Amino acid sequence: QLQLVESGGGLVRPGGSLRLSCAASGFTLGYYAIGWFRQAPGKERERVSCISSSGGSTNYADSVKGRFTISRDNAKNTVYLQMNSLKPEDTAVYYCAADEFCRSYLRYWGQGTQVTVSS
């Protein structure tokens, strides 16, 4: 019954921006840490960022640090990933996932949204 739905992906030019959203259904998002993961063809799934349930703690992969920002609006049951200065290497399917706290693999997953960065 716990469901996460990602949205906001699409095709952008290098240097452009996208804002991904992760909306929760069937549970209160504020009780969970939320992570963003991505997977590109031929590569292992990578944790991009994670935010604690309160929003008081965040972390980022080195590859996106300084370019991506994770945030949450618990009143809207939504977590966001603002992606700036996008590079072709950021092309991947992006997933959000929920768990009690941030760890390498989270328990509840969405279906993913495609992000393509290309000129």
Side-chain angles (χ1 to χ4, degrees):
Q1 200 168 8
L2 278 64
Q3 187 174 358
L4 298 168
V5 180
E6 302 93 336
S7 62
L11 174 65
V12 297
R13 299 287 190 263
S17 298
L18 282 175
R19 188 194 193 197
L20 304 184
S21 297
C22 174
S25 298
F27 66 100
T28 301
L29 191 74
Y31 294 160
Y32 294 87
I34 301 294
W36 283 98
F37 295 74
R38 65 186 182 186
Q39 187 163 27
K43 298 188 67 177
E44 293 186 347
R45 188 168 294 183
E46 174 189 24
R47 194 177 81 173
V48 174
S49 184
C50 196
I51 187 167
S52 62
S53 59
S54 68
S57 179
T58 60
N59 57 68
Y60 300 90
D62 288 342
S63 58
V64 307
K65 194 172 298 181
R67 300 188 296 121
F68 291 10
T69 303
I70 191 169
S71 63
R72 66 192 303 154
D73 187 341
N74 287 343
K76 296 181 178 179
N77 263 0
T78 303
V79 169
Y80 305 98
L81 185 68
Q82 179 67 46
M83 305 186 296
N84 298 326
S85 301
L86 283 162
K87 306 174 181 179
E89 306 92 89
D90 296 318
T91 296
V93 177
Y94 283 71
Y95 302 86
C96 65
D99 208 332
E100 292 180 82
F101 55 90
C102 292
R103 54 174 122 200
S104 59
Y105 187 86
L106 279 64
R107 287 184 290 189
Y108 308 107
W109 291 79
Q111 295 298 307
T113 184
Q114 177 71 48
V115 172
T116 302
V117 185
S118 177
S119 59

